Amino acid sequence: MKKVIFKNWQLVLILVFASVSLISCGSDDNEPPMVDSTPTPDPTPDPISDPVVINFGLSTVGGAFPNQTTYVQGLTDLDFTTIGNNQATELAANGGAGTVSYNKALYTSPFGAPATLVKYVFDDDGNTVEEERIVVPGANVFSTLYFESETVAYGSVAGGISKLIVFNPTTMRITGEVSLNSVTSRFPEATRTYYLDMMERDDKLFMGVHYENNFVPVNDSAYVAVIDLNSRTVEKILSDNRTGMVFGGQAANTGMVKAENGDIYVQGLGTTLSGGASPSGLLKIANGQTDFDSDYFMDMEAATGNVCYGVNLMPSGRAFTSKVEDENDFFEFQTGEPQFTYYEIDILNGTGIGAVPGLPTTYGSRGMIIRPLDGEELLFTNATNDENAVYSFDGATNSASKKFVSTGGYINGLETLN
């Protein structure tokens, strides 16, 4: 089983309190599979008969908002110092459309009605080719996907109609819908309801829910819907006022993660940015339970010193968040400067460890992606006013170095394919 999330970050920054679209990428339980960055080549390759093996997917965004274009491409390895868009497929997408992988295919959802999910595969020459697409009239964008199998997947759509559809990811055909009437009716005063992040465990789908009224949270609480996958019905809605606004994170699968022991952690942005009282926080749904753990809460603002957005959990057990430096410029519009840092946290003890050494302050509005590679190596995407790059972080030495630079725009999709 695999869970994937989409988030259009340039628009998400507007959306957090003021607008519409979501898109990005992720993978199994926030633990992307670890693969070799240098696959063993065929000792005697035949350029004519041997197909190109694609091991990574990359998406970049070029242009100025709102006239932006997303470029999608597959890569055999990451052994280069710069990468452009000359081998990429162009996809017109306002705000940029990130990619997500499942079963060796890439999925992306450009913003704009009707909500459209595009599936890309790679031909024998390594070219990115559109295979199929799903269209949901009345909605603007796919916000979260969860892949249960090669024939069953779930997708929430937002903007206009908000609902959870069931589709076949192989044929890309809609096969059903999960009624969310009990979710949307909870707060009649909410003008919009968003469904962000999904995590499966024990035949239950835990889905983050955010209610807003004219772009302001309806209250200070955090909400998660519990969906029974066997009956495809909403079982209950969890709520907790220790944090608020379950709204995902800077990249895919970073609003809800699952530890190796089965515990699910749910991150809330909090409501202090909109005049509320709840801080950025981390809640837990213990393994085998379907309610928030009353004995666990991490006040992330207290632990890190400022508002945090999202949580990343690596296979090594190390956890990270994105921390804003100047909360008055959370949307990065006022100063024209990047405002977010990668910050390591200890989720078991609820404490902050510190900013990840060697990484520059980056634009959260352009996405902040972490991917594990070989051993203790982690990849961090960065976007500054000077360059768009991916850094390699050595977990053994706690040191970072630049791996490659994108000359085709900022990186909003970095996927390992397996």
Side-chain angles (χ1 to χ4, degrees), residues 49-113:
S49 62
D50 287 357
V52 175
V53 178
I54 299 299
N55 295 292
F56 299 90
L58 181 76
S59 65
T60 56
V61 178
F65 180 80
N67 299 313
Q68 292 176 307
T69 300
T70 297
Y71 299 88
V72 181
Q73 60 186 302
L75 304 169
T76 58
D77 56 51
L78 301 180
D79 295 334
F80 46 81
T81 56
T82 61
I83 185 74
N85 297 326
N86 54 311
Q87 300 296 323
T89 294
E90 183 177 342
L91 172 69
N94 291 337
T99 55
V100 65
S101 65
Y102 175 71
N103 198 26
K104 288 189 174 294
L106 292 177
Y107 296 79
T108 187
S109 180
F111 175 75

Side-chain angles (χ1 to χ4, degrees), residues 12-343:
V12 162
L13 283 180
I14 302 172
L15 234 181
V16 173
F17 299 111
S19 194
V20 249
S21 165
L22 324 150
I23 182 167
S24 183
C25 51
S27 46
D28 291 344
D29 301 334
N30 199 59
E31 299 181 6
M34 300 175 66
V35 301
D36 283 340
S37 59
T38 54
T40 302
D42 186 335
T44 57
D46 186 331
I48 298 178
S49 62
D50 287 357
V52 175
V53 178
I54 299 299
N55 295 292
F56 299 90
L58 181 76
S59 65
T60 56
V61 178
F65 180 80
N67 299 313
Q68 292 176 307
T69 300
T70 297
Y71 299 88
V72 181
Q73 60 186 302
L75 304 169
T76 58
D77 56 51
L78 301 180
D79 295 334
F80 46 81
T81 56
T82 61
I83 185 74
N85 297 326
N86 54 311
Q87 300 296 323
T89 294
E90 183 177 342
L91 172 69
N94 291 337
T99 55
V100 65
S101 65
Y102 175 71
N103 198 26
K104 288 189 174 294
L106 292 177
Y107 296 79
T108 187
S109 180
F111 175 75
T116 303
L117 180 65
V118 185
K119 177 182 180 181
Y120 289 105
V121 295
F122 303 100
D123 63 20
D124 287 348
D125 295 322
N127 299 313
T128 309
V129 180
E130 179 180 336
E131 184 178 79
E132 261 297 355
R133 59 175 57 197
I134 289 176
V135 176
V136 181
N140 289 340
V141 72
F142 278 81
S143 53
T144 303
L145 300 180
Y146 168 71
F147 291 89
E148 181 179 317
S149 68
E150 293 184 8
T151 58
V152 179
Y154 299 85
S156 63
V157 293
I161 296 174
S162 293
K163 60 183 179 181
L164 183 65
I165 66 168
V166 186
F167 68 98
N168 184 319
T170 299
T171 63
M172 294 291 281
R173 294 294 181 267
I174 297 175
T175 58
E177 179 179 329
V178 176
S179 174
L180 298 177
N181 291 337
S182 62
V183 178
T184 56
S185 62
R186 185 181 182 97
F187 293 103
E189 68 271 27
T191 56
R192 291 180 180 86
T193 305
Y194 297 103
Y195 314 111
L196 298 168
D197 279 15
M198 299 179 190
M199 185 63 60
E200 182 273 341
R201 190 185 65 195
D202 302 328
D203 293 326
K204 307 289 185 185
L205 189 65
F206 299 86
M207 182 177 70
V209 180
H210 172 57
Y211 300 94
E212 68 171 33
N213 187 333
N214 295 323
F215 312 116
V216 177
V218 297
N219 55 41
D220 287 322
S221 295
Y223 298 93
V224 170
V226 182
I227 299 170
D228 187 298
L229 292 180
N230 293 317
S231 62
R232 292 182 180 173
T233 58
V234 177
E235 188 174 284
K236 58 183 175 180
I237 303 171
L238 311 183
S239 65
D240 199 301
N241 61 9
R242 290 175 291 179
T243 187
M245 198 170 177
V246 178
F247 208 74
Q250 302 281 28
N253 215 8
T254 57
M256 193 179 296
V257 298
K258 185 164 63 176
E260 290 185 359
N261 66 356
D263 290 346
I264 293 175
Y265 292 88
V266 180
Q267 201 271 337
L269 176 66
T271 60
T272 56
L273 290 174
S274 58
S278 62
S280 297
L282 202 60
L283 302 167
K284 183 173 75 173
I285 305 173
N287 188 25
Q289 303 299 312
T290 57
D291 292 293
F292 289 127
D293 186 343
S294 60
D295 295 326
Y296 178 88
F297 177 68
M298 178 179 178
D299 185 330
M300 299 178 77
E301 287 189 42
T304 67
N306 214 331
V307 174
C308 296
Y309 197 17
V311 58
N312 299 263
L313 187 59
M314 295 295 104
S316 61
R318 301 180 76 162
F320 303 88
T321 187
S322 57
K323 186 194 77 167
V324 69
E325 293 302 309
D326 181 0
E327 69 277 11
N328 294 315
D329 193 23
F330 183 87
F331 302 101
E332 299 173 323
F333 295 148
Q334 296 182 20
T335 64
E337 297 290 336
Q339 292 295 342
F340 283 85
T341 57
Y342 289 100
Y343 199 96

